[in-house]
């Protein structure tokens, strides 16, 4: 579909657009900070709006700030194929996360329009207003609003670190006033998201494309161990009720059990706090976080049941008490098999090495995946580094992803 000459032009176009979009919110460390409804975010959306118009797309916003570029179908009342990703970032993040999927969608729609004219189904690229939750304690606001998972009720009372209310920030950016169309959609045929892997599996295995079968379920917990604070020098070891020591054994059991359960299951303890946190006092209270992920619900169920039953036994052995608070329970989401088969067919025919894989990170695709047929596709991330100014993907890998996206959209819409 793409000649060598055109491919060389595509490489230059990709590089230019990546750097261009990264200039909106570029940080001193050469990262990108572009959080929801800030000036940097607004500038990026306005720049994308202009770029979409220059590419011959019909451009519009919805009332939460999602931006769309539309290639309208020949046929009336046709359904819509949606592609794209998010443009918000973490603080001092990378220039590819999310942004690549938006850039890819614009390039793909421009190519299809110029070479094949109008499609039989509408094709839209979306620059989703928010995914990361970096400014407000709310993730997937853009995709959640489109699918009906999120509503204004969910953001009432939310404020950022400076105390600015979510609703106020949204309205100051020009949204949430009813001036644009309702974000809820009922015309979507499917959603296709092209994204950097944010891991190093594809690079290590020398695969060009990752076809995601599932986005993992996530469970997060806070575990609190209550013991008894006492003097570090005068309390014999046999009489101690040491919360830190108990917590250490609980963590060791968790990690060892995870290693024995499944190669795809991951368990992480990323935070730990102890009280009174003094060098000469036996800890009386220790709290730690747990993050557990796997692509199958029954594996998560069995793992958590077994681990937490053992937690109680270990805690009792040390004469301490343990409480376990589950504050996140995101179910695994399966991607569309039929869309995956289209990608597999194209890549096999082109002899491009690919891997079927699960996604250990959350993406907008997990929101769309429960709403309409969805495909999540990865390109390699160098050393797996992401959410960092050092995030990097070779332009040649970005190009392979875009060429695949063009062919998928052509297959589905023409």
């Amino acid at each position: 579909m793409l000649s060598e000459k055109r491919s060389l032009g595509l490489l230059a176009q990709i590089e230019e657009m990546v750097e261009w979009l990264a200039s909106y919110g570029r940080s001193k460390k050469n990262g990108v900070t572009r959080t929801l409804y800030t000036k940097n975010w607004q500038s990026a959306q306005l720049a994308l709006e202009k770029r979409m118009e220059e590419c011959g797309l019909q451009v519009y916003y919805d009332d939460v700030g999602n931006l769309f570029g539309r290639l309208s179908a020949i046929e009336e009342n046709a359904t819509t194929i949606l592609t794209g990703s998010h443009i918000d970032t973490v603080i001092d993040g990378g220039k590819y996360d999310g942004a690549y999927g938006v850039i890819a969608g614009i390039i793909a729609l421009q190519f299809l329009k110029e070479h094949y004219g109008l499609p039989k189904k509408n094709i839209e690229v979306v620059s989703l207003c928010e995914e990361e939750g970096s400014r407000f304690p709310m993730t997937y606001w853009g995709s959640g609003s489109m699918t009906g998972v999120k509503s204004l009720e969910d953001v009432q009372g939310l404020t950022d670190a400076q105390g600015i209310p979510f609703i106020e920030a949204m309205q100051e950016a020009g949204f949430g006033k009813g001036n644009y169309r309702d974000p809820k959609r009922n015309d979507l045929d499917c959603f296709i998201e092209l994204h950097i892997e944010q891991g190093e599996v594809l690079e290590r295995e020398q695969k060009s494309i990752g076809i995601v079968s599932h986005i993992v379920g996530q469970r997060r917990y806070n575990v609190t161990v209550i013991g008894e604070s006492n003097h570090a020098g005068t309390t014999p070891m046999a009489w101690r009720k040491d919360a830190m020591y108990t917590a250490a054994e609980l963590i060791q059991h968790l990690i060892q059990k995870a290693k024995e359960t499944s190669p795809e299951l991951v368990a992480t303890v990323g935070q730990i706090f102890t009280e009174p946190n003094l060098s000469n006092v036996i800890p009386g209270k220790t709290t730690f976080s747990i993050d557990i992920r796997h692509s199958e619900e029954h594996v998560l169920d069995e793992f958590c049941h077994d681990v937490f039953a053992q937690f109680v036994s270990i805690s009792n052995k040390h004469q301490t008490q343990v409480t376990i608070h589950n504050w996140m329970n995101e179910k695994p989401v399966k991607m569309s098999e039929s869309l995956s088969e289209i990608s597999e067919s194209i890549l096999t025919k082109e002899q491009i090495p690919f891997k079927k894989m699960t996604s250990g990170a959350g993406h907008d695709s997990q929101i769309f995946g429960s709403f309409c047929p969805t495909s999540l596709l990865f390109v390699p991330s160098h050393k797996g580094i992401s959410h960092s100014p050092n995030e990097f993907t070779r332009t040649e890998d970005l190009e392979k992803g875009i060429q695949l996206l063009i062919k998928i959209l052509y297959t589905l819409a023409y």
Side-chain angles (χ1 to χ4, degrees):
M1 183 175 280
L2 295 173
S3 67
E4 184 176 353
K5 183 178 180 180
R6 287 174 182 164
S7 181
L8 292 173
L10 180 58
L11 288 170
Q13 184 181 11
I14 294 167
E15 289 180 352
E16 182 272 328
M17 289 191 72
V18 167
E19 294 303 322
W20 162 77
L21 188 52
S23 70
Y24 296 94
R26 195 183 300 276
S27 67
K28 293 180 180 179
K29 296 180 181 179
N30 204 34
V32 181
T33 299
R34 197 165 52 221
T35 57
L36 181 63
Y37 299 138
T38 59
K39 295 298 183 184
N40 287 340
W41 176 91
Q42 292 178 60
S43 297
Q45 288 288 69
L46 287 170
L48 283 166
E49 176 186 3
K50 184 177 179 182
R51 181 63 69 103
M52 289 176 181
E53 288 174 344
E54 291 172 350
C55 293
L57 304 179
Q58 298 169 324
V59 182
Y60 68 94
Y61 290 93
D62 66 24
D63 206 42
V64 297
N66 292 317
L67 170 65
F68 301 86
R70 180 181 178 92
L71 187 56
S72 292
I74 299 171
E75 302 172 2
E76 292 185 11
N77 302 317
T79 53
T80 300
I81 297 166
L82 186 68
T83 188
S85 195
H86 61 96
I87 66 150
D88 68 307
T89 70
V90 298
I91 305 301
D92 212 28
K95 59 190 175 185
Y96 301 94
D97 177 9
Y100 168 55
V102 179
I103 290 168
I106 294 173
I107 291 174
L109 266 64
Q110 180 186 19
F111 182 92
L112 290 168
K113 184 175 187 293
E114 290 177 354
H115 293 85
Y116 300 100
L118 298 181
K120 295 177 182 177
K121 292 183 178 181
N122 303 304
I123 313 175
E124 291 184 358
V125 54
V126 60
S127 175
L128 292 162
C129 62
E130 195 277 337
E131 186 253 21
E132 299 285 4
S134 296
R135 182 178 180 186
F136 299 95
M138 165 69 75
T139 55
Y140 309 117
W141 173 238
S143 54
S145 297
M146 291 179 65
T147 57
V149 174
K150 309 283 187 183
S151 70
L152 288 175
E153 292 181 3
D154 297 305
V155 298
Q156 296 292 336
L158 293 187
T159 60
D160 66 10
Q162 283 70 49
I164 299 172
F166 189 106
I167 298 294
E168 180 183 317
M170 179 167 59
Q171 292 184 346
E172 284 187 359
F175 301 100
K177 301 177 180 180
N179 295 333
Y180 301 94
R181 65 177 66 188
D182 189 303
K184 181 70 167 65
R185 299 292 290 264
N186 57 16
D187 64 324
L188 297 186
D189 188 74
C190 63
F191 176 65
I192 302 164
E193 184 173 18
L194 191 54
H195 207 282
I196 59 170
E197 182 192 349
Q198 298 180 282
E200 54 184 326
V201 173
L202 293 177
E203 184 177 67
R204 279 179 175 265
E205 297 189 12
Q206 297 183 327
K207 306 294 186 183
S208 297
I209 299 290
I211 301 175
V212 175
S213 61
H214 296 78
I215 298 176
V216 297
Q218 297 185 43
R219 298 189 184 181
R220 296 188 190 180
Y221 301 84
N222 287 331
V223 178
T224 301
V225 181
I226 301 295
E228 183 177 273
S229 294
N230 214 329
H231 197 288
T234 62
T235 309
M237 298 301 289
W239 297 353
R240 297 185 178 208
K241 301 176 181 178
D242 189 333
M244 177 72 87
Y245 178 51
T246 300
E249 188 168 337
L250 299 181
I251 293 169
Q252 183 181 32
H253 174 72
L254 170 77
I255 301 303
Q256 186 59 42
K257 180 72 172 177
K259 290 180 178 179
E260 296 169 356
T261 299
S262 166
E264 290 188 351
L265 187 140
V266 292
T268 304
V269 174
Q271 290 181 317
I272 188 165
F273 306 95
T274 195
E275 298 176 18
N277 200 27
L278 298 171
S279 62
N280 61 345
V281 178
I282 299 165
K285 179 181 179 180
T286 300
T287 301
F288 60 92
S289 66
I290 300 179
D291 180 313
I292 304 170
R293 309 187 189 201
H294 194 271
S295 61
E296 296 181 49
E297 187 81 357
H298 74 92
V299 175
L300 289 170
D301 286 339
E302 292 174 11
F303 178 79
C304 291
H305 176 271
D306 293 347
V307 164
F308 295 143
Q310 190 63 26
F311 272 21
V312 173
S313 177
I314 292 170
S315 183
N316 290 339
K317 180 179 69 174
H318 295 298
Q319 301 181 73
T320 57
Q321 295 180 329
V322 62
T323 58
I324 302 161
H325 173 55
N326 177 208
W327 60 272
M328 177 190 279
N329 191 351
E330 299 244 351
K331 295 185 179 295
V333 178
K334 186 178 182 179
M335 298 292 97
S336 166
E337 290 183 3
S338 60
L339 290 176
S340 294
E341 287 171 1
I342 292 173
S343 294
E344 289 180 46
S345 176
I346 293 168
L347 294 169
T348 300
K349 182 179 179 180
E350 305 258 334
Q351 296 184 317
I352 295 172
F354 66 92
K355 178 181 178 67
K356 295 181 184 178
M357 61 193 300
T358 59
S359 172
H363 296 282
D364 287 298
S365 287
Q366 75 188 64
I367 304 300
F368 284 109
S370 299
F371 181 75
C372 65
T374 297
S375 177
L376 176 60
L377 302 165
F378 287 155
V379 294
S381 294
H382 182 52
K383 295 184 178 179
I385 297 171
S386 187
H387 284 183
S388 161
N390 295 324
E391 181 179 274
F392 177 73
T393 295
R394 297 186 318 133
T395 308
E396 291 79 5
D397 290 323
L398 298 176
E399 181 207 17
K400 285 187 175 69
I402 294 174
Q403 289 201 28
L404 174 60
L405 179 62
I406 289 170
K407 291 163 188 171
I408 294 170
L409 294 175
Y410 178 84
T411 301
L412 292 171
Y414 285 85

